[in-house]
Amino acid sequence: MRYTPAGIPALNLVLEHESEVVEDGVNRQVKLIVRAVAFGVLAETGSKLGLGKHYLFTGFLINARTSKSIVFHIQAIDQVLQKQTDHVPNPI
């Protein structure tokens, strides 16, 4: 975790997603790795998340300032229980 010049907690993350979806009647493996950032209380919460567990992240995508890549800005984090993962379409 780091702090912005204004003293706000900030956490840079890398989120990974893997699933299988049906596209045009064919099963397709989906894999995604995306850079993410959380600020304030969410940064503090995010710094305590366990690796390898399922979470549902809500937020928005923007272009990174320093490159042409995207960054996912996290606005909410919810843990998804193992039994719930079948009911969440493509959780990230």
Side-chain angles (χ1 to χ4, degrees), residues 80-91:
V80 178
L81 300 177
Q82 189 64 33
K83 291 181 181 179
Q84 292 175 318
T85 57
D86 295 334
H87 306 295
V88 177
N90 300 320

Side-chain angles (χ1 to χ4, degrees), residues 29-40:
Q29 295 293 321
V30 176
K31 294 182 182 181
L32 173 72
I33 298 173
V34 65
R35 291 178 24 213
V37 64
F39 294 99

Side-chain angles (χ1 to χ4, degrees), residues 3-25:
Y3 292 88
T4 67
I8 299 170
L11 181 66
N12 294 339
L13 302 160
V14 175
L15 303 178
E16 295 186 30
H17 168 82
E18 248 183 81
S19 67
E20 186 175 292
V21 296
V22 177
E23 181 179 37
D24 197 26

Side-chain angles (χ1 to χ4, degrees), residues 7-8 10 22 25 29 32 41 47-48 54 64-65 69 77 85 89 91:
I8 299 170
V22 177
Q29 295 293 321
L32 173 72
V41 174
S47 69
K48 299 173 186 168
H54 293 96
R65 289 184 188 183
S69 65
I77 303 171
T85 57

